[in-house]
Amino acid sequence: MRKLVSILICALALMAGHIQAQEVELTKAEKKALQEKIDSIQHAEAIKAINEKEFTLEADQVVFKYGQTAYVTANTNFVSANGENAVVQVAFNIPAAGPNGLGGVTVDGKVSSYEVKTDKKGTTYLSMNVMGIGISARLDITMPKGTNSATVTISPNFNSNRLTLNGVILPAYKSSVFKGRSL
């Protein structure tokens, strides 16, 4: 009788473990489905913001000309467009204050040649020129389908110090960036 009870207890324990494993798998599937819905909504918001010229790309990674990377704070490293005006700011976590007071550079400019395209795979491409006192550059933004993650390549017109920022595109009203002093 003791053997039978021991076998039944072991069988129940195995079944309970199996049921918990199924619940975890179901939870993972639900989490994945939920994340896909969130990504889809964020992508739609980003597309709307780009089309309305009211967006901010908050960057958490900078890639320099020769491929070196640096992880940075998203609220002080950004590219934003507000109608015909644009701001490009980079701020590195260094002890020196830099021209913008944050360890980097902030430049304001006017947007021209604003062009948005979407390819057959759903990737959105935005290119624009930004001209101002401290900047004259072409900005090329790429955002894959189904996400608000994006890459912006900043190509100055007067030198070859290309800079790439990786981050997310948000509508301007959802952005929480901190702008330093402009050049």
Side-chain angles (χ1 to χ4, degrees), residues 44-183:
E45 285 181 337
I47 292 293
K48 183 176 186 250
I50 287 170
N51 289 334
E52 293 175 353
K53 293 186 185 180
E54 294 285 337
F55 71 89
T56 301
L57 187 151
E58 294 183 3
D60 58 3
Q61 183 184 41
V62 177
V63 181
F64 298 98
K65 182 178 176 179
Y66 296 111
Q68 304 96 328
T69 62
Y71 291 94
V72 293
T73 308
N75 69 340
T76 57
N77 291 272
F78 64 91
V79 171
S80 69
N82 183 359
E84 297 303 315
N85 299 312
V87 177
V88 177
Q89 176 173 290
V90 290
F92 305 105
N93 301 328
I94 58 173
N100 65 0
L102 301 172
V105 178
T106 304
V107 288
D108 294 316
K110 295 289 183 188
V111 174
S112 65
S113 303
Y114 193 91
E115 209 174 315
V116 180
K117 294 180 183 178
T118 303
D119 68 9
K120 292 178 184 178
K121 294 180 182 179
T123 301
T124 301
Y125 299 95
L126 164 62
S127 62
M128 63 179 172
N129 291 322
V130 178
M131 305 278 239
I133 294 171
I135 187 170
S136 175
R138 179 165 183 81
L139 280 63
D140 293 302
I141 298 174
T142 304
M143 184 176 67
K145 179 182 181 181
T147 182
N148 68 336
S149 295
T151 298
V152 58
T153 301
I154 304 166
S155 305
N157 293 332
F158 302 120
N159 61 46
S160 63
N161 293 331
R162 187 181 71 242
L163 192 65
T164 301
L165 305 175
N166 296 318
V168 294
I169 294 181
L170 301 170
Y173 68 90
K174 284 190 171 184
S175 178
S176 60
V177 295
F178 179 79
K179 184 181 172 198
R181 286 188 306 261
S182 298
L183 293 180

